[in-house]
Amino acid sequence: LKKLVNQVMRSNARTVKLQAFNGYLPAADAPPSQTAADVLWFELTRERWHEFRKRFGYDKDWDGNPTGISQPTAGIHL
């Protein structure tokens, strides 16, 4: 698994914002969108997840295996 791709309706503003919060970036190969009914594509690569997961204190790799890197979870239970 090299990347995850999400498709979100442009009119779903809260979910569009949530993509960035969760580390997703606009997909480079996404078709252009112009209306609220259009679908926006977001992607999260394996490499970006390894960096972005630190924000959540998550110490497992892409496949859910422990990495041996202990990070405080600040009350987050995954």
Side-chain angles (χ1 to χ4, degrees), residues 3-15:
K3 69 178 171 180
L4 298 174
V5 177
N6 288 342
Q7 297 174 350
V8 181
M9 299 291 289
R10 179 186 291 277
S11 60
N12 193 343
R14 290 182 70 181
T15 302

Side-chain angles (χ1 to χ4, degrees), residues 11-44:
S11 60
N12 193 343
R14 290 182 70 181
T15 302
V16 169
K17 287 181 184 179
L18 187 61
Q19 298 306 300
F21 177 81
N22 286 328
Y24 286 80
L25 296 173
D29 57 350
S33 296
Q34 300 298 325
T35 69
D38 287 334
V39 175
L40 301 177
W41 295 17
F42 298 91
E43 65 184 14
L44 178 63

Side-chain angles (χ1 to χ4, degrees), residues 23-76:
Y24 286 80
L25 296 173
D29 57 350
S33 296
Q34 300 298 325
T35 69
D38 287 334
V39 175
L40 301 177
W41 295 17
F42 298 91
E43 65 184 14
L44 178 63
T45 62
R46 176 186 293 249
E47 294 78 18
R48 180 154 168 82
W49 169 245
H50 281 286
E51 291 301 315
F52 194 79
R53 68 186 173 153
K54 296 173 188 173
R55 177 178 184 174
F56 298 104
Y58 192 67
D59 64 349
K60 296 180 181 174
D61 68 11
W62 186 264
D63 299 315
N65 301 314
T67 62
I69 302 169
S70 180
Q71 299 173 350
T73 60
I76 300 172

